[in-house]
Every structure is written in structure tokens, then in C-alpha cells.
Amino acid sequence: MANKESIRDKVSIVGVGCCQFGENWDQSPSDMIVDAAYEAYADAGIEKPQEQIDAVFTGSIYSNKGPHECGDALKLFNKPISFATNYCATGTDLVRLGVMSIAAGLYDTVLVVGYDKPKDRGVSGPSVVVDRVRDLPQTPAGWFSLAAATYFDKFGASREDLAKIAIKNHANGCLAPKSFLKRQITEEDYFKARIISWPFGLYDSAAQTDGAAACVLTRSDLASSFSSDPILVKGVTVRAGPNPQKDPGNDFLSWKPTAWARDDVYEMAGITDPRGEIGVAQVHDCFSLTELLTYEDLGFCEKGSAKEHIADGAFELGGDLPVNTDGGLKTFGHPTGATGVRMVYENVLQLRGQAGDRQVAGVDGKFAVSHNIGGHPTACGIAVLGRQ
Amino acid sequence: MIGITSYGAYVPRTRLPFAVIGGRPPKEGGPERSVAWNDEDAITQGVTAAIHCLEGLDRSQVDLLLFASTTLPFQEKQAAALVARVLDLGRDVQTADHAGSTRAGTAALRAATDAVKAGSARCALVIASDARMAAPKSGMEANFGDGAAAFLITDGDAIASVDDFHAVTDEVTDVWRPAGHEFVHTWEDRFVIQESYTPNMAAALSGFFEKTGTGIGDYDRVAFYGPDARSHGGALKAAGVTGDAIQSPLFGRLGNAGAAFAPLQLIAALEAATPGQKILLANFGNGADVTSFSTTDQIEKLAPRRGVEWNLARRRVVTSYDDYVKAKGLAATEWDAGTNPGLSATILFRERDDDLSLLGQQCNACGAIQFPAQRICESCFAKDDYSKVRLSDRTGKVVTYTFDFFFPTPNPPTVVTVTDVDGARIHLQVVEIAPEDMKIGQEVEFVFRRIHESGGRPNYYWKGIPKPE
């Protein structure tokens, strides 16, 4: 494969924005896109986006309007605007497309906007898939929970361990101004809640919300001309994997796309000791077990050992590798197209030291990683950011 | 010799005790009826009975399939054609549905026998299946039962020859269900018995005896359709059937299974029969018909079948009338289920082999078995180089599972698994298992069931059931 370092440090994030996530009954997708993009413009010191933005990468999984929805909302006319969708990895893939376009020398400055508006569908909870007769009506909880029986059986983990992840993320979410759920939960709350798809109960499952997030990317040699504190893109990738529901080689103890994307992006960024070199991580916690498997799949700890590290508090705000510092999908909800960009937003704030009460200490000189996994799960996107 | 070479029965595992209908707790040993549960109907029952009938036999030999039912899930769209695909029969099979009367099952049996006799078919599969709906709390609700019977008719090693047949036909509005109506209607019981059941049965029997020169005493076992236990007893008495010759109608265990009722009694009679016996079967519905059978030495050589007794021994008792009402779709819901028109008929068409026949593929290059059909081998990446293999008659092993409380069903949770079938991985619901009994490595058989009502119509796929010990 081509040069793994072809991206490293060539592109910088000079502005990030995020709308208030939640049940945004009174907002249209355009309203949220404008909130997120204009916050990112302000952060980047962009006053004339119609002149300063060369291209736009936007995407969502619920919208069927394509690139027009974002272009029209932002009045970015006579620009190349692309629309991409890649399950829950959509947001990270948009960042990747933007980064590649700059690294290729095609554009100087691009805008990335991920968004989704599931609450306009009139249903609460997971979406149904209208496809083949046997695929209907499967739910994401049903897909991801399939890993629990085998993992619990082999490694002796249980809902007690998942509860700690849920409690941590609720606590972190209370410290993030733009999160949806700001409520501390107790272990009693966790075990009293109804079951969605065993072993996932209500508090194991991400909320469903509306949201949009944006970032402005530019050539690193131009970054200082924008007003903000630039953050370097060290690596970004996406990987596809087989559908675990029909993959004869799946052991349901980890997710293949994460392992493949991890190997690729760590090589891009030059990470060899993930636990030591990564200072903060936003990982996909559509369900609590997804976060647990991801600790292991990203090399934060050995396969099968996550529950011990959870018990030690390693991934809490005061731990040595805080994960989901803003409360994750659990408290922000999961407007699918927005999520990967929202994670980049949080990691940029953390690396700049602007994360307020949830600021991670000792993140200087370390990498910030964000991770999405989606589909059955069949797609993974990872972005690694750093300061130098 | 033309006759029955194999049989198979299906009775839904679920039983509704009469006590529960009456709002009382179920009592062990009390009267009950079988109930097709929410994912069962005449087609799924008939498929399972047919699979039991065909077990160990070369099903590719079947060249005629007749499906008999008064509760066909589609008024236009042939049940027999669907079932033929599910059973993975050859493309050149003849198919037809027999409908409209509880006599449809014996009419189909006769038609199949005639076809084999005439040489227009060599090997005929006859399926009779019914899941009739009675209005909640009506007398018919406890009287009805659901089930299916299947027979293979060939000119060969028959376990019982099909000998003689006589029918009378009568136009009478005694029991009926207009198009579009859900529940069976009936005129006053005494009218039905006195003016329809009794005279029609008598006419059919006397005509049959006259034609064959036999009398009721010539038959070792006599099986009668009966609208209910009382009239059934009256008809036996009128015909002079006594003692061991009486085939139990299974009221209080199975119930009146409509078009499958007399055929199920025939199976029960065959299960108990020894070589050289004569069986008389009398069926009713817009007239009546009588068929006689003679068992042969072959009956002792047929490998054990899943017949009536095997099915009746498997029980799951409904303890709440509400559960029954929900499972039968009789409870009011906010949204009309299944009105979503989104499910594509063209996708159903393309994926018939996957969804209906449960055909996987075996890669000719590396030998891996995979499901569903795909152009490129998931293991060795060979392209378009595979043979189809039927997975529905294999045993699967559960790789992993979950209990989904969100899947729309009257009785959550739905047990969802990934199941390994000789290397192929299948996303499979497992039914008829308690969550606490679920375990990794659980062995399952495949059973054809309704999976949902998307598009406003029944949609079918395979599910797993625990492999019997």
C-alpha cells in the first residue's frame, strides 16, 4: 500500500463547531447545520465563508436530500459539495474525505459538516431496516448485543461491568454543555431499567438525538493565518468488514473492522504504544459493550482484561486514559452523521485545554483518538489528532 | 399398489386450556385445544407436516403437490406453489390448492390418488392444514384446533392402499366465512347437525357401502369428522361403530382442525395400525365423503414419523387469555400492523432460494458452506463457482444469541441468534425455547414460520427450534 505517512501533519483543524444535541423539535436540519458551521467559522476566524471555503464534505444517514441540504443552508454556492454516508462511521469518513482533498493539493480550506435528524421520524428508539424479508425488523441493539453471550461466557464479564461504563458516561455528560442527557445515574438506576436487547438495558443504549457538528480543515502551512490554535491530523482511516451475522470467521469477541482500522491509523500516526501515547479517546459507545470491546480492540488493554481496567477507573476522567470525556453517544445521543465530527470537536477542545470541567490533565504531547463503528457492525472509522 | 407411502403431522406446540378461555387458571389434564401461535398459519403448519412426511425420502421425486385449507393466507397467490419452493421441490412440479370446505383435505387426497392412478403424476404430496379463527369467547373458540397433515401418494411401497371413495355434495349455509371475514360463522347448532351433518354423513356412508358391498363391521378402525364431540358421538352411534373401531376425534386435546381434521385422524389411525387392517375415513363439509384404506406389511417398515401422538406430546400451555388475544392479532393496537408497503416484491422474488428454500451455497473451490447466496466466496474469494445446498434439513448450532425486547411480537423477548450450519452463519430467530434454557452450542432444527407482516401480507422465513432429544 502507498505511503502510510502521506497524510500525517499535512492538514490542520483550525475550527470546530457543534450545535446543541437533543430532541431538537423546533429546529430543522438546516438550523443545526448553520449553528455548527458558523461556530466552526468563528473558531477559525472565518468571516467570509463564501470566499474562504473551497469545498464542502457533508453527510447524514437519515437525510435523502444529498449535498443540497447543506449547501443551501449555508449558501455555499458555486462550490464542490459532496455527500457521503458510511453508517455510524459517516462523520469520521467526512473528515477523511476533507483531509485527503487537502493532502492531495486540490483545496486549501474545506468545511466538514455531519448531521442527522432522527427525531423527525415520529418514532422513539432504534430504526428498522426495510430491506430483505429476513432483515426486517432488526434493530442495532439486536446486532451489537450478539457479542455479549460469547464475551461474557469466555471472559467472565457481566452487566456489573457494563453498568460502570454507563455510570461514567452519564457523569461525564453532565460536564458537557452541549450534551443531551445531563443526569447522574446510580447502579440501582441501571439495574432497574428495562431491557432493550439482553444484556442491554436502557442505560446501556445511546440516546437518539438530533445534532450537527462541523470542522474547518486547512493546509498545515496555512493554519497560522487562521485565528485559532491549530490541531494536526495525524491519521484518519475507515475500514469495512464482513457482516458478523454471516461471517464464518467471526468469534463475537471483538469487531474486525476496528482491528483493521486501528492497525492502519496507528501506522499513519506513528503510534506504537497506544496506552502510553494516547491521552484521551472518544470511542463509539452506541451500547456499553461496544465501548468495552473497543478498549481492547484499540489496544488500550489486553483482550479479555477490560473489566479489570474498568474496575481500576483507568478510563474515567481521572484515569490514565480517559474515554468519552463528554459523555459519548450515551449522553450526546447518536445523530449518526454528526457523531464522528462531534468526537473530533471534543478531542480538539481537549488538546487545546478548552474542555472546562471535563478537561483531561496531562494530555499535552499525547494523541487524541476518536473511533466509530457502525452497521452490523461492518464499518469503522478512526481519526488521530495531535499537537506536534 | 397405489396408496400412502408416508405421512407426517403437525400440531402447534401451544395449547389453550378451556379453563383459560373461561378466565380460570389452567388445570393439568383439563380439556384444551391447539393454537397456531403468532408466527404460524396454514402454510407454516403444512410445511412442517410435509417435512416430517418427507423425512428420509427423496423429495425431488415429488411431481404433484396439492395443498388443502379453508384458511389460505392469500386469496390470490397459490399456497401450493409457495410450499413447493419452501420444500425445494423441482421446477416441474404440478401444484394446486384445494379450498372452500373442511372436506378439502380428503378431496385433495382423492385427486392425488386419481392422478397417480391415471399416470399424470408419479409421486404426489398432499397437505391439509387449517388454522381457523373463531370469535373470541364464542363456543367455536374452544371447539376449534389447529394442525396439519401430509401424505405421500405413490404407486409403490404403500403402507396403506387407497381403496374406495364415495362422495355426496350438498348446498347448505351451515358453516361459512365470507371473503374478507376473519371469523367462521355458523347457523344454529341443531340445524347444522340435523339438516347437514347427520343426513350428509348417512348418505355418503350408505352410498359407499352400496358401491363397495361392505358394511361398517368390515372396518377395523373408523375415523369420522365431527363438528364437535357430541355430534361426532351421535354419528358413530348412528353408523353402528363400536369399541376399538372408534378412532378418537381428539376433542379436548387438539380440537376440530377444519380441513386437516379428518386427515389428522387418518394419521392417528395409521400410527396405531398393524398390517392387513381396514380403515374407513368419513369427512364432512358441503356434503360428505368416505374413503377406505388397507394397511400393508410395509407399515411396519416405515421409519418412525412425527405423527399425531408425537406432536400432541409436545405442549406449551397458554396461561393468559390476553396472551392468546395478542398472539392472534385480536387486540387493538395504535397502528395497523403490517401496513408498511416498503417490502419489495422483487427482492422477495430474487431471494426465494435463500428465504423460502433456505438454500445455502457450497464453494466449489474451497468447500466452504455459506448463507445467503453471494457471488464471491466469503472464504477464498472464488467468483460464481458454487453449488446450492439445502440447509433447512440440517441441524444448526447456536454461536451466540441475544434476547430482543424491541422486535415487534406479542410475546417479547424474541430470541435472536447467529447459528452455525456446517460452517455457514445464519442470523436466526429461535422459537419455542425459554430464555433461561438458551445456551451457546444449543442445537436447533429449522422450522418455516411467518417472520412479519410488512407490506400488509404474511412474510415467511425460517426460524430455529430446539432439536428434540
Side-chain angles (χ1 to χ4, degrees), chain A residues 122 124-126 128 130-139 141-143 145-151 153 194-200 242-252, chain B residues 340 342-344 347-348 351 354-355 369-374 378-379 399-408 416-418 420 423-427 429 440 451-452 454 459-461:
Chain A
S124 172
V128 296
V130 180
D131 195 352
R132 294 173 300 204
V133 64
R134 59 182 177 275
D135 289 344
L136 183 80
Q138 293 181 24
T139 62
W143 301 337
S145 59
L146 283 167
T150 47
Y151 189 91
D153 191 60
R194 69 187 169 126
I195 296 288
I196 307 290
S197 189
W198 176 90
F200 301 158
N243 181 345
Q245 294 175 14
K246 67 179 181 66
D247 171 19
N250 200 291
D251 62 6
F252 290 94
Chain B
N340 165 16
L343 196 66
S344 167
I347 294 176
L348 288 177
E351 306 199 340
D354 308 292
D355 297 336
I369 294 179
Q370 292 158 353
F371 181 89
Q374 39 209 314
E378 191 137 15
S379 298
V399 174
T400 190
Y401 61 86
T402 186
F403 308 115
D404 195 329
F405 286 77
F406 249 92
F407 191 97
V416 178
T417 74
V418 170
D420 186 290
R425 294 284 175 89
I426 301 184
H427 190 259
Q429 291 181 23
I440 291 169
I451 188 159
H452 52 67
S454 187
N459 293 286
Y460 300 93
Y461 185 53

Side-chain angles (χ1 to χ4, degrees), chain B residues 198-434:
Chain B
T198 304
N200 277 304
M201 290 288 276
L205 284 163
S206 64
F208 178 87
F209 291 142
E210 195 176 323
K211 190 189 267 181
T212 58
T214 63
I216 196 76
D218 295 327
Y219 296 91
D220 300 290
R221 189 56 71 96
V222 177
F224 277 8
Y225 177 99
D228 55 70
R230 192 168 160 204
S231 52
H232 177 266
L236 285 171
K237 196 171 171 195
V241 188
T242 54
D244 288 348
I246 297 173
Q247 176 60 46
S248 164
L250 302 168
F251 283 109
R253 290 184 75 197
L254 168 67
N256 179 339
F261 192 31
L264 278 164
Q265 288 183 54
L266 173 60
I267 289 177
L270 290 169
E271 285 178 66
T274 52
Q277 288 192 315
K278 288 195 171 296
I279 298 170
L280 194 73
L281 180 71
N283 199 6
F284 166 75
N286 294 115
D289 60 43
V290 179
T291 317
S292 62
F293 307 85
S294 305
T295 59
T296 71
D297 293 346
Q298 198 64 29
I299 199 164
E300 293 183 323
K301 294 178 193 152
L302 183 68
R305 307 274 102 180
R306 291 184 182 179
V308 174
E309 284 307 320
W310 187 92
N311 276 282
L312 286 175
R314 301 156 69 246
R315 289 170 67 247
R316 177 186 84 91
V317 172
V318 181
T319 54
S320 147
Y321 190 76
D322 270 357
D323 284 352
Y324 166 78
V325 165
K326 272 189 257 171
K328 300 307 284 183
L330 301 173
T333 53
E334 182 191 358
W335 295 97
D336 187 9
T339 50
N340 165 16
L343 196 66
S344 167
T346 43
I347 294 176
L348 288 177
F349 166 78
R350 287 200 297 273
E351 306 199 340
R352 285 174 298 180
D353 278 353
D354 308 292
D355 297 336
L356 298 181
S357 312
L358 202 70
L359 298 186
Q361 65 185 30
Q362 181 156 30
C363 176
N364 292 335
C366 75
I369 294 179
Q370 292 158 353
F371 181 89
Q374 39 209 314
R375 297 280 305 276
I376 312 291
C377 172
E378 191 137 15
S379 298
C380 74
F381 313 127
K383 177 169 173 287
D384 294 328
D385 185 20
Y386 54 84
S387 310
K388 297 231 174 190
V389 289
R390 189 168 62 229
L391 301 179
S392 63
D393 47 5
R394 300 186 182 210
T395 296
K397 248 189 184 167
V398 170
V399 174
T400 190
Y401 61 86
T402 186
F403 308 115
D404 195 329
F405 286 77
F406 249 92
F407 191 97
T409 169
N411 307 109
T414 299
V415 180
V416 178
T417 74
V418 170
T419 290
D420 186 290
V421 194
D422 296 333
R425 294 284 175 89
I426 301 184
H427 190 259
L428 190 76
Q429 291 181 23
V430 171
V431 293
E432 299 182 17
I433 188 165

